[in-house]
Amino acid sequence: MADVKPRIKLEKKQAKKGDLVEVKALVSHVMETGLRKDSSGNIIPRKIINKFTCTVNGKQVFAADFEPAISANPYIQFKFRAQESGPVVLTWMDDDGTKIVGEESITVI
C-alpha cells in the first residue's frame, strides 16, 4: 500500500491570504472491515485507513478519523483557509501503521 499514489486536486494552486481552498482527494485502498470471510471460511483481517490528516507548510489544517463503514477507495473533500505558501501534504494512516502520502503545493499571495 505504501507505493499507492493518491489523486489530489487543489481548487486553487495560487490563492490570496484568507481565501478558502477546496481539496479533493481519492486513494486506492481495500478498506477491509474484518467482518468478511474468504472462500475457505477464514475471516479476512481488518485493514482500514483509520486516520487522515492534511498539513500546509507543516501546520495541520484538517484531520479525520475513519471507521470500518467507509467504502473502499475513499474519496474526501474539504476546505481550508489559505494562510501561507508551502507544501500541502495529505496523509492516510492504515491499521498496520502504513502511511500513504500525497503532496501538492500552494502559493499564497
Side-chain angles (χ1 to χ4, degrees):
M1 283 282 155
D3 60 348
V4 172
K5 181 166 174 41
R7 294 190 321 196
I8 301 168
K9 181 175 180 177
L10 292 181
E11 174 188 42
K12 304 173 186 177
K13 295 214 181 212
Q14 185 174 17
K16 293 180 182 173
K17 187 171 184 169
D19 281 356
L20 282 178
V21 178
E22 186 173 57
V23 179
K24 297 177 182 180
L26 177 71
V27 67
S28 296
H29 194 281
V30 295
M31 296 296 281
E32 190 57 62
T33 65
L35 302 174
R36 294 184 327 127
K37 295 181 180 179
D38 63 17
S39 59
S40 303
N42 300 317
I43 292 178
I44 301 170
R46 178 181 139 139
K47 185 166 175 68
I48 68 165
I49 293 172
N50 54 41
K51 182 91 173 150
F52 170 82
T53 59
C54 175
T55 61
V56 178
N57 206 26
K59 296 176 184 154
Q60 184 171 298
V61 295
F62 184 83
D65 292 325
F66 294 155
E67 299 294 331
I70 300 294
S71 68
N73 308 319
Y75 169 81
I76 190 163
Q77 180 177 344
F78 61 94
K79 294 180 182 183
F80 69 89
R81 195 160 302 280
Q83 296 298 323
E84 58 187 324
S85 300
V88 179
V89 180
L90 282 64
T91 305
W92 292 260
M93 178 74 79
D94 202 329
D95 279 336
D96 64 8
T98 302
K99 287 183 181 180
I100 302 169
V101 180
E103 186 175 320
E104 289 287 333
S105 293
I106 188 165
T107 303
V108 177
I109 52 175

